Amino acid sequence: MTTPLLEVSGLRVAFPGQDGPREVVRGISFTVGREKVGIVGESGSGKSMTARAILDLIPPPGRVSADRLAFAGEDLTRLRPKERARLRGRRIAMVLQDPRHALNPVMTVGAQLAETFQVHHRLGRGEARRCSIEALDAVHIRDPERVVRLYPHEISGGMGQRAMIAMMLAPGPELLLADEPTSALDATVEAGILETLDELVTARGMGLVLVSHDLDLVAAFCDRVLVFYAGRIVEELPARDLAQARHPYTQGLLACVPRLGERRRELPVLRRDPSWAAS
Amino acid sequence: MSAAIRIRGLTVRYGPLKALDGISLAAARGACLGIVGESGSGKSTVLRVLTGLAPDWQGEVEVGGRLLAGARRDLAFCRDVQMVFQDPYGSLHPRHTIDAILDEPIAIHRLGDPARLIPQALADVGLPADVRFRYPHQLSGGQRQRVAIARALLPEPSILLLDEPTSALDVSVQAEILNLLMAIQERRGLTAILVSHNLAVVAHMCPRVLVMDRGRIVEELDRDALDAGQVRSPQAIALVAASRHVRSQASNAGR
C-alpha cells in the first residue's frame, strides 16, 4: 500500500487542570487513506479534539504531542505554524457543525465562496463568481444564481451546510474532516447532506473523516469506524460489521438508541466499566 | 376517555408567518402524546401557547376542562402544568445552587418544607443527595436534565410538557432520561406531550404521534402503523427514512 493520507500515532492533547495537565486525548493511533473513516463517541470522548489537533487548531493553553502526525508522508509536527496554516483549507479542510455560526453573517454566500476561489486559486472576481455558482450547483443547491446573492440568515440550515461544503471543497483538498456536519440540522435533511458529501468525496478520490456521536449514521456512510471512549480508541472495525461489535461500550451505544419497530419498555442503560478508560 | 388538553382551530402568527395554521388536537388524560416535525413546523409553538409563552393566538384551548385566554396563567394552572425544556445548560440558573433552583417552585407554590421536599425530589429523579449544594456547571448534561425534571415535578403537576428533552444529550444519557420520564409518567399517571424532531424517540414513549409540517398536522400515527411503516404523508415518510438512515429517500429534502 502507498503512503496513507493521514498517519496519527500516539496523539495526545492535554489541557492544564487543577492537579496538573489533564489529557483529553490519550495516545491515539490511526491512519486514513482515500476512504471514509467515522469517529464516534460521546461528548468528552476526545473525538473533536483529535480532528482539531490534526489541523493544529487546539486553542491555548491546550498542548498537543504525537509520536507521529503525518499528512501525505510529510511530518506535520516539524512544520512551522505558517507552513501548517498553508496546509489548512488548501489540502486539509474542515466542515463544522453549525453553518449558522460558521458562515460569516455579514457577507453573502457568493462573496464568501468567491473569496475562497480568489485566495486559493488566485482567480479574478468574475471568474471566482462563476466558479462559486458551479460549486453551489455541485452540492445540489437549486437556483445557485439566486443563492449567491443571499446572506446566511436568509437560507436554511441544510442549504448553509451545503454552501459550507462547497466552500471547503473549493481549494481541492485531499482530506476533509467533518465534525458533526449534520447534528444541527433536521433529521430529514441529514441524509441528503451526507449523500452529497459522499458523492463528492468519492468522485474526487479524497479521504473523509466523519466525526459524529451517531453510530448508526456513521455506519451508513463510512467504510471504517473508530470508537472513542475517554480519549482512547476502544474499538476499530469495518462499518458493515458494526452489528458484531465486540467491545461492551460499542454494544451499549448501539443498544441504547430507540429505534422504530422495536418495542422496549425500558432502554438498556450503559454501565460504564472503569477498565474501558484504563490503558 | 376524557381529554386533559383539547385544542381547536389554533392559529399563531409571527408577523406574516403562520407558525400554527388552525390545528386541532386532543391529549387523553394519563397518556403521552407525541408531536414530531422539522424545525419550523410549529411543534414547539403548541407548547408555548399552552404555557402562555406565545402572546398572540386565536382558537380554543382547553386544559383540564378550563378554557384559556391570552398569555396570562394563574398560579393553579402553573402548578398543574409544568414544562421541561431542551437545553439543561440554558434552563437552569448558572449562579444558583441546585438547592436554590429547587426551592423556587416550593416557595412560589407554598409546597411545604424544603428540607424534606428537596432531598425527596432529587431521589425521585435518581440523583444523589450531595448534588443539592452544587452549581449546574458542576453537573453533567444528564444530571442537569434530571434537575430540570425534578423542578417540574415538585408542584406535582398532572400535565407535563416536554420540549425536546433529550436532543442536547448523548444517546447513552438519552436512554437514561427517557427511561426516567416513562417511569414517572406511568407511576404518576401524568398526561404528557413530548415534542421532538426524532421520530424514534417519540415513538418509543408515545402510543400516539402527530406529524407536523409548516404549522399544520399532516398525519396522525399510532404505534402499530409506525412499526409496520404504514405512513402516508411525505413528511412522515421522510422522517421514517431518516430515523432508519435509509439513503436516497430523504435526500431530496433540504435542497
Side-chain angles (χ1 to χ4, degrees):
Chain A
M1 205 180 133
T2 50
T3 324
L5 216 43
L6 179 72
E7 294 165 73
V8 178
S9 172
L11 177 72
R12 293 175 183 277
V13 179
F15 284 87
Q18 275 173 345
D19 346 289
R22 218 181 97 80
E23 283 197 328
V24 294
V25 176
R26 307 185 299 148
I28 271 176
S29 306
F30 63 96
T31 60
V32 182
R34 298 189 183 273
E35 58 176 338
K36 288 166 283 173
V37 175
I39 293 183
V40 280
E42 295 167 281
S43 43
S45 61
K47 53 191 196 307
S48 292
M49 284 296 159
T50 300
R52 284 170 184 273
I54 293 165
L55 281 173
D56 194 23
L57 288 176
I58 299 286
R63 293 184 62 87
V64 181
S65 70
D67 300 334
R68 183 167 168 81
L69 186 61
F71 176 70
E74 192 174 6
D75 191 348
L76 295 179
T77 53
R78 292 169 62 180
L79 294 182
R80 287 196 298 274
K82 234 181 167 169
E83 294 170 316
R84 279 297 276 281
R86 218 169 291 149
L87 280 180
R88 209 157 42 220
R90 186 160 306 179
R91 298 185 66 194
I92 312 176
M94 186 156 176
V95 175
L96 297 166
Q97 180 169 350
D98 193 342
R100 278 159 284 229
H101 297 307
L103 294 172
N104 185 338
V106 294
M107 274 172 93
T108 61
V109 171
Q112 297 182 54
L113 251 171
E115 186 181 70
T116 317
F117 283 103
Q118 283 168 325
V119 170
H120 287 284
H121 296 290
R122 300 177 184 280
L123 297 181
R125 279 177 61 187
E127 188 78 348
R129 191 184 141 79
R130 199 180 51 75
C131 286
S132 309
I133 291 172
E134 277 176 18
L136 287 180
D137 191 48
V139 291
H140 305 298
I141 284 185
R142 274 193 220 122
D143 199 1
E145 280 91 351
R146 185 180 66 90
V147 174
V148 287
R149 288 194 300 269
L150 300 178
Y151 285 90
H153 73 269
E154 296 175 299
I155 60 178
S156 69
M159 247 203 252
Q161 200 58 303
R162 285 178 189 276
M164 176 98 150
I165 291 167
M167 202 176 295
M168 291 303 122
L169 291 181
E174 290 143 80
L175 179 66
L176 185 68
L177 310 176
D179 189 1
E180 304 264 10
T182 56
S183 52
L185 306 178
D186 278 318
T188 47
V189 179
E190 187 166 61
I193 299 279
L194 287 171
E195 265 176 47
T196 301
L197 202 55
D198 186 8
E199 173 193 324
L200 294 170
V201 163
T202 309
R204 294 168 179 226
M206 294 167 54
L208 171 71
V209 176
L210 177 66
V211 177
S212 173
H213 64 279
D214 190 334
L215 211 49
D216 287 349
L217 177 104
V218 164
F221 283 91
C222 293
D223 308 315
R224 243 172 356 114
V225 181
L226 312 175
V227 183
F228 275 46
Y229 182 76
R232 314 185 80 93
I233 296 177
V234 293
E235 187 160 17
E236 176 178 351
L237 72 174
R240 60 175 181 280
D241 298 341
L242 201 63
Q244 285 91 49
R246 281 216 288 278
H247 197 281
Y249 176 65
T250 319
Q251 291 171 345
L253 273 190
L254 281 167
C256 69
V257 184
R259 290 191 170 82
L260 283 186
E262 282 182 348
R263 293 201 194 179
R264 297 183 288 187
R265 280 192 57 79
E266 207 170 315
L267 295 165
V269 170
L270 209 56
R271 301 209 186 285
R272 289 157 207 278
D273 189 329
S275 72
W276 300 349
S279 41
Chain B
M1 194 185 258
S2 64
I5 298 169
R6 191 184 298 279
I7 291 174
R8 284 188 214 90
L10 177 62
T11 298
V12 174
R13 285 190 184 82
Y14 292 133
L17 177 87
K18 270 189 184 170
L20 287 179
D21 193 0
I23 66 153
S24 300
L25 63 85
R29 202 174 296 278
C32 186
L33 174 70
I35 303 180
V36 67
E38 298 188 8
S39 43
S41 63
K43 56 191 191 308
S44 295
T45 307
V46 176
L47 301 190
R48 297 183 73 83
V49 168
L50 283 168
T51 48
L53 295 169
D56 207 13
W57 53 272
Q58 289 96 43
E60 212 176 282
V61 179
E62 199 182 306
V63 176
R66 285 199 308 161
L67 279 174
L68 299 183
R72 281 193 67 86
R73 301 287 178 267
D74 60 21
L75 206 55
F77 178 93
C78 296
R79 189 167 174 168
D80 200 39
V81 181
Q82 285 283 320
M83 182 141 152
V84 177
F85 296 89
Q86 171 171 3
D87 189 358
Y89 298 80
S91 64
L92 301 180
H93 195 300
R95 301 192 62 175
H96 283 179
T97 59
I98 305 309
D99 183 67
I101 288 166
L102 294 180
D103 193 37
E104 210 145 354
I106 295 175
I108 291 169
H109 298 290
R110 303 204 176 119
L111 300 176
D113 179 16
R116 186 179 58 82
L117 288 169
I118 291 177
Q120 184 57 45
L122 290 173
D124 283 350
V125 294
L127 283 171
D130 62 356
V131 160
R132 184 172 170 188
F133 297 105
R134 296 209 201 140
Y135 287 93
H137 74 264
Q138 295 170 305
L139 307 183
S140 69
Q143 286 177 320
R144 280 184 241 201
Q145 198 59 301
R146 285 177 193 265
V147 172
I149 293 168
R151 177 175 60 184
L153 292 177
L154 264 169
E156 300 192 343
S158 71
I159 296 172
L160 194 58
L161 306 176
L162 307 164
D163 191 2
E164 303 260 14
T166 62
S167 52
L169 307 174
D170 276 313
V171 286
S172 50
V173 181
Q174 167 173 287
E176 293 172 18
I177 297 293
L178 287 177
N179 286 345
L180 173 69
L181 286 171
M182 277 179 83
I184 288 170
Q185 192 250 330
E186 263 175 48
R187 194 168 61 228
R188 302 196 178 195
L190 295 177
T191 306
I193 299 184
L194 171 67
V195 164
S196 174
H197 67 280
N198 186 326
L199 183 58
V201 165
V202 173
H204 174 73
M205 223 181 127
C206 311
R208 234 175 101 232
V209 178
L210 306 174
V211 182
M212 287 193 67
D213 179 57
R214 278 173 263 180
R216 290 165 183 269
I217 294 170
V218 293
E219 192 161 357
E220 182 178 338
L221 298 160
D222 62 24
R223 245 183 220 155
D224 293 329
L226 264 174
D227 284 354
Q230 288 168 343
V231 296
R232 285 171 287 107
S233 63
Q235 292 80 13
I237 291 168
L239 284 165
V240 168
S243 67
R244 296 200 166 129
H245 291 298
V246 177
R247 289 186 176 216
S248 299
Q249 295 198 4
S251 64
N252 286 326
R255 287 196 180 166

